[in-house]
Structures are given as structure tokens and as C-alpha cells.
């Protein structure tokens, strides 16, 4: 592994710190843009308005209809809005829903993107887009999808509720965990993945105890950034395949699905990934990485079963069929019986 590998750095400019949203106008000017469309979900309109104030005359429109799993019909409406205002770039503020919409617009128009995340989900650092249509979520990669600038502002995460912070943190941790056993992993990504997991695992209990602590939030956001870099630099396996499948079929909340499935996907792959589990255990200072994850999830008070977030029991069979129809590359072959077993356990929350 050390004597031959490929590492592809992603062409993104990153600003990290507190109060960095105030650099938004400077970054727009640096890119030579003059007509920005600001994207958000309906719940984050106030943040979009703040961005418009910072941009001044460079803000020509807002679109606040971003939706989970990036439905193509929403993208069509946003494209019409971008065309109507003659936007030459987009600013995406929020979590995966808004960031995904910005990517979907960029894929079709090649408009430059500036992303300001408010969660730990990590989509901002990847050239990956997942879109839904007709109950199916498909993913693709490409240079147009990769955002040009990412502004991490710790202050924007201070009001993210503790449980949502935990869910988003586990989402980020899943990116790093899967990168440790990806077929195209390399020593650089493995270092980032292990450090990302260490930072998230260390910070989450502190964030739960004191959500307004900027030091804990900084560590958590740092770990999420590293984990996102891992996701952008390696291929995805069973864990992400299952999350995409369940999200498309049943419209399950993204972060919750990641958090619930992570220990089950690791358990499925455990016989084939001893080195990855060793690294995860070292990052969490634990003999059993999967056990440490389950313990932390319980301490965070997050949902532990797919049935708790809206998946029907009969959906297990549909999910197995969908996952097998177009499987992602995975260290252990994806077979119906063991896959059905872990999904049934994840549905019931009965443990690994």
C-alpha cells in the first residue's frame, strides 16, 4: 500500500475559523463574480438574507426551496430562477440539502459555487452529487460538481441542536470510516480519516454537554472537514450504498440514516477490514471500534433503529433488491442473506 498509490487533491479553496462568513463578499470578488443567487432551505431564510446583506449589490436573487435528497423537480425550479436573474454564481448556505442543490445547478450550468456549511455532513468537499427521481437516488462525480470555495464558520454551528449535531457528526464519521477500507484508499487519506474520527469522537460528548462551547464546535467541524476530504478522495462502499438506497426509496432523513447504519455496515464488512477497524479503534482509544460507536450513539440519545425514522418493515426486502441491483465496490461481496440480516437488525435496532 505504501509503495504504490494515487492521491488526487481536490481543487477547493477553504476558509476555516470564526466569523469567516464576513469574507463572503471578498471571495465573490476574487472569483470575478457579480450576480450571485443565494440558496437555502425554507428554515434558513434568515441566514440567506444575512448573506445577501454581506454581498450587497452582488446578490441578485434567493431561492429558499432546497429539499432533502435533491429532487430533480426542485433543481428544475432553481435553474429557472438562476436563468431569470442571469446569475453568474451561487452561494449555498446550510447542510446537505442546500449544498446538493448548488451542486445540481453547477452540474448543469458550470456556475461557480461558494458553500457555507452549517452542519457536519461534508458534501461541500466532494465532487459527488446524489439526486432523487421516482423514488430512486443516483449518484455521480465530476469536476463541475466540486465547489470552488468552502467557508467554514464555527459560529454558524453554535445553534445546531445537540442531537442534530450528533447525527451530523456520525454522518461525517461514516465518510472517514468507509475511506479507511475503500479500494482506492491511500496513506494520505487514511491519515486524514483517522484524525477526522479522533476529532469527532473527542468533540461530540463536549458538544452535547455544552453546545455553545466554540472550542468543542471547532474540533467537531475540523474533524468533519477532514472526513469530507476523505469522502471526496475515495470511492464509496456498502454503507453509502445503503444510505442512498434507503433515502431514495423511503425519503429517510439523511443524517439519521447514516448514524443508524454505520455500525451495521462495519459489522457486515468486519471480516474483510481488520486494518480499518484497528485504525478506528485507535482513533477512539477503544479495543472494539464498533462497540465504541454503539456506546457513543446511545450516549448521544439519537435514533438507533430505522423503524424509528420512518422505514417500513416490508421495506427491508425492497432495499436488499435495490442494493444488489447496482452495488458499489465493497471489500466483502454483497450477498442477499447477510445483507438482509443486517438490514433487519438495523430496522429493529436489535444490535449488531
Amino acid at each position: 500500500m505504501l509503495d504504490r498509490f494515487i492521491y488526487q487533491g481536490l481543487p477547493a479553496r477553504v476558509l476555516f475559523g470564526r466569523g469567516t462568513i464576513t469574507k463572503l463578499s471578498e471571495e465573490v470578488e476574487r472569483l470575478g463574480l457579480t450576480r450571485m443567487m443565494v440558496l437555502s432551505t425554507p428554515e434558513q431564510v434568515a441566514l440567506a438574507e444575512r448573506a445577501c446583506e454581506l454581498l450587497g449589490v452582488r446578490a441578485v436573487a434567493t431561492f429558499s426551496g432546497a429539499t432533502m435528497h435533491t429532487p430533480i423537480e426542485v433543481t428544475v425550479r432553481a435553474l429557472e430562477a438562476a436563468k431569470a436573474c442571469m446569475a453568474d454564481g451561487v452561494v449555498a448556505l446550510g447542510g446537505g440539502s442546500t449544498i446538493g442543490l448548488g451542486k445540481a445547478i453547477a452540474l448543469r450550468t458550470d456556475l461557480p459555487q461558494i458553500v457555507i456549511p452549517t452542519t457536519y455532513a461534508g458534501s461541500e468537499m466532494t465532487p459527488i452529487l446524489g439526486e432523487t427521481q421516482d423514488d430512486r437516488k443516483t449518484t455521480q462525480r465530476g469536476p463541475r460538481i466540486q465547489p470552488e470555495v468552502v467557508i467554514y464558520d464555527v459560529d454558524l454551528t453554535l445553534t445546531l441542536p445537540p442531537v442534530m449535531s450528533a447525527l451530523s457528526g456520525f454522518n461525517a464519521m461514516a465518510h472517514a470510516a468507509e475511506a479507511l477500507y475503500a479500494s482506492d484508499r491511500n496513506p494520505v487519506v487514511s491519515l486524514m480519516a483517522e484524525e477526522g474520527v479522533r476529532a469527532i469522537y473527542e468533540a461530540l460528548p463536549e458538544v452535547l454537554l455544552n453546545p455553545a462551547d466554540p472550542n468543542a464546535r471547532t474540533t467537531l467541524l475540523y474533524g468533519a472537514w477532514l472526513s469530507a476530504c476523505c469522502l471526496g478522495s475515495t470511492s464509496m462502499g456498502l454503507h453509502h450504498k445503503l444510505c442512498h438506497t434507503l433515502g431514495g426509496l423511503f425519503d429517510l432523513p439523511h443524517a439519521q440514516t447514516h448514524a443508524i447504519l454505520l455500525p451495521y455496515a462495519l459489522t457486515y464488512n468486519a471480516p474483510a477490514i481488520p486494518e480499518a477497524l484497528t485504525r478506528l479503534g485507535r482513533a477512539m482509544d477503544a479495543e472494539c471500534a464498533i462497540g465504541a460507536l454503539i456506546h457513543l450513539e446511545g450516549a448521544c440519545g439519537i435514533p438507533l433503529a430505522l423503524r424509528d425514522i420512518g422505514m417500513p418493515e416490508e421495506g427491508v426486502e425492497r432495499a436488499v433488491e435495490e442494493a444488489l441491483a447496482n452495488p458499489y465496490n465493497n471489500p466483502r461481496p454483497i450477498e442477499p442473506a447477510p445483507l438482509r440480516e443486517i438490514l433487519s437488525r438495523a430496522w429493529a435496532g436489535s444490535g449488531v
Side-chain angles (χ1 to χ4, degrees), residues 18 20-21 34 49 81 83 87-88 91 98 121 125-126 132 193 195 223 230 255 294 302 308 317 323-324 342 350:
R18 299 190 64 185
T20 47
I21 191 175
T34 60
E49 291 173 349
K83 182 179 180 180
D88 62 2
V91 176
T98 308
M125 291 304 300
T126 77
T132 51
E195 172 65 1
C230 298
I294 294 172
I302 64 175
D308 294 338
E317 196 59 42
L324 290 171
I342 67 156
S350 57

Side-chain angles (χ1 to χ4, degrees), residues 7-78:
Y7 172 72
Q8 176 66 58
L10 299 175
R13 174 178 167 88
V14 174
L15 285 70
F16 188 102
R18 299 190 64 185
T20 47
I21 191 175
T22 60
K23 301 294 183 182
L24 174 58
S25 185
E26 293 177 23
E27 291 302 307
V28 171
E29 184 176 4
R30 190 185 63 83
L31 292 173
L33 306 174
T34 60
R35 301 184 62 82
M36 303 299 291
M37 184 167 78
V38 179
L39 310 174
S40 76
T41 61
E43 295 77 18
Q44 292 185 303
V45 170
L47 183 58
E49 291 173 349
R50 182 182 175 192
C52 289
E53 292 174 1
L54 291 168
L55 289 171
V57 295
R58 290 189 175 92
V60 295
T62 60
F63 182 89
S64 59
T67 305
M68 186 173 61
H69 301 306
T70 320
I72 286 180
E73 59 267 25
V74 174
T75 299
V76 170
R77 296 201 303 271

Side-chain angles (χ1 to χ4, degrees), residues 105-176:
I105 293 171
L107 175 64
R108 293 162 173 83
T109 63
D110 205 21
L111 290 178
Q113 305 169 72
I114 297 178
V115 177
I116 307 176
T118 58
T119 71
Y120 308 105
S123 176
E124 66 278 353
M125 291 304 300
T126 77
I128 305 167
L129 170 64
E131 300 180 294
T132 51
Q133 186 175 35
D134 300 327
D135 295 333
R136 177 166 297 190
K137 189 168 188 176
T138 57
T139 61
Q140 54 186 311
R141 288 176 179 253
R144 286 190 172 196
I145 298 171
Q146 177 73 45
E148 279 73 13
V149 178
V150 179
I151 300 176
Y152 287 106
D153 190 333
V154 174
D155 291 344
L156 299 182
T157 69
L158 293 175
T159 56
L160 189 66
V163 171
M164 283 306 303
S165 298
L167 290 167
S168 191
F170 280 109
N171 188 354
M173 202 181 298
H175 304 329

Side-chain angles (χ1 to χ4, degrees), residues 328-348:
Y328 294 174
N329 195 10
N330 194 63
R332 178 185 174 186
I334 300 177
E335 301 171 335
L339 181 58
R340 186 177 296 109
E341 173 67 18
I342 67 156
L343 276 176
S344 295
R345 288 182 171 275
W347 180 84

